[in-house]
Amino acid sequence: MKNKIIFATGNKGKVKEIQEILKDLNYEVLTMKEAGIEIAIEENGKTYEENALIKARSVAQHTDAIVMADDSGLEVDAMDKSPGVLSARFMGEDTSYRIKNAEIIRRLEGKEGDERSARFVCAIAAVFPDKSEVTTRATIEGLIGYEEQGENGFGYDPIFYVPEFGKTTAQLSPEEKNQVSHRGKALRLMKEELMKYESNHCK
Ligand code: IMP
């Protein structure tokens, strides 16, 4: 029988990403809904790690399975690293990313080259059945573009230009983005933590 991991999100895309990364291990990855856990969680932490832990701990209260959660955001250096942990709420949760992206481009008017530096950050938290906890974090560095480019991805991807590729993350295929993204890298670090937990507990 497969062991279960519940990913504390309603986002099927995130669950798919982690399924792909963990596919060579014996785990079934479920959303909260699929696991029959429907609770509202307030993300009021000050750091990505705090928010990821808040989500994972809330769900872990309802299950003995492994629970994972992530929190991510965009840090624009010229904007004092905002919107940061408030990325989803920047200018209002329901405001379109066309408008949010245009506002970030506007705030960077007159800035060139490295003055446009930014990064995506992702932290992932896991709560294991013995209630031990671990977090991982990864980033991808880039520059804020001068206009939106690309149709893939979501959120701030169309304005996040990665010089190594000469493309925005919205111009990468999902597979290419997973290889280099903050979330893909943090998930692969979490896979290592999962393997360590397994080797310590499943003898
Ligand atoms: P959360 O981690 O689901 O709370 O979302 C954080 C927010 O950060 C998202 O709603 C996006 O606005 C932004 N964000 C995080 N990762 C990405 C990404 O890979 N591309 C574009 N925007 C992102």
Side-chain angles (χ1 to χ4, degrees), residues 9 11 14 43 55 70-74 84-89 93 97 100 120-121 153-158 169 177 181-183:
T9 182
N11 184 332
K14 287 185 182 175
E43 288 175 42
K55 289 184 252 186
D70 78 334
D71 194 57
S72 56
L74 173 71
V85 285
L86 299 176
S87 289
R89 283 166 271 177
E93 192 109 34
Y97 277 89
K100 297 188 196 209
F120 280 128
V121 183
F154 66 100
Y156 301 104
D157 280 327
T169 42
K177 189 180 163 195
S181 78
H182 49 318
R183 191 168 299 102

Side-chain angles (χ1 to χ4, degrees), residues 6-10 30-41 55 58-67:
I6 301 171
F7 207 86
T9 182
L30 304 172
T31 60
M32 284 161 62
K33 199 173 172 191
E34 286 165 343
I37 301 173
E38 291 186 59
I39 51 170
I41 305 169
K55 289 184 252 186
S58 310
V59 174
Q61 285 176 358
H62 300 270
T63 176
D64 287 327
I66 297 171
V67 180

Side-chain angles (χ1 to χ4, degrees), residues 20-187:
E20 182 60 30
I21 287 168
L22 298 183
K23 68 178 175 214
D24 53 328
L25 304 181
N26 192 33
Y27 285 97
E28 183 186 4
V29 188
L30 304 172
T31 60
M32 284 161 62
K33 199 173 172 191
E34 286 165 343
I37 301 173
E38 291 186 59
I39 51 170
I41 305 169
E42 203 192 336
E43 288 175 42
N44 51 10
K46 288 194 181 60
T47 64
Y48 303 100
E49 281 83 358
E50 268 176 44
N51 276 335
L53 276 168
I54 288 170
K55 289 184 252 186
R57 283 175 186 152
S58 310
V59 174
Q61 285 176 358
H62 300 270
T63 176
D64 287 327
I66 297 171
V67 180
M68 291 186 187
D70 78 334
D71 194 57
S72 56
L74 173 71
E75 294 182 353
V76 181
D77 290 325
M79 289 166 52
D80 291 326
K81 295 196 167 36
S82 72
V85 285
L86 299 176
S87 289
R89 283 166 271 177
F90 178 61
M91 300 180 76
E93 192 109 34
D94 296 330
T95 302
S96 79
Y97 277 89
R98 191 124 288 154
I99 294 174
K100 297 188 196 209
N101 288 339
E103 174 61 12
I104 293 178
I105 292 170
R106 192 194 64 76
R107 291 205 201 172
L108 266 61
E109 252 165 37
K111 306 233 181 273
E112 303 262 339
D114 286 350
E115 292 174 329
R116 306 183 71 88
S117 61
R119 69 202 54 76
F120 280 128
V121 183
C122 178
I124 304 198
V127 178
F128 292 104
D130 66 358
K131 302 299 170 202
S132 61
E133 299 175 344
V134 63
T135 60
T136 62
R137 166 188 277 242
T139 59
I140 174 171
E141 296 288 329
L143 301 171
I144 298 299
Y146 294 91
E147 60 185 11
E148 286 197 333
Q149 286 188 68
E151 304 294 330
N152 299 333
F154 66 100
Y156 301 104
D157 280 327
I159 60 165
F160 191 81
Y161 178 81
V162 187
E164 291 164 70
F165 300 118
K167 288 178 182 176
T168 67
T169 42
Q171 292 173 307
L172 299 177
S173 70
E175 295 74 26
E176 285 171 326
K177 189 180 163 195
N178 278 347
Q179 288 300 315
V180 295
S181 78
H182 49 318
R183 191 168 299 102
K185 289 191 279 191
L187 282 172

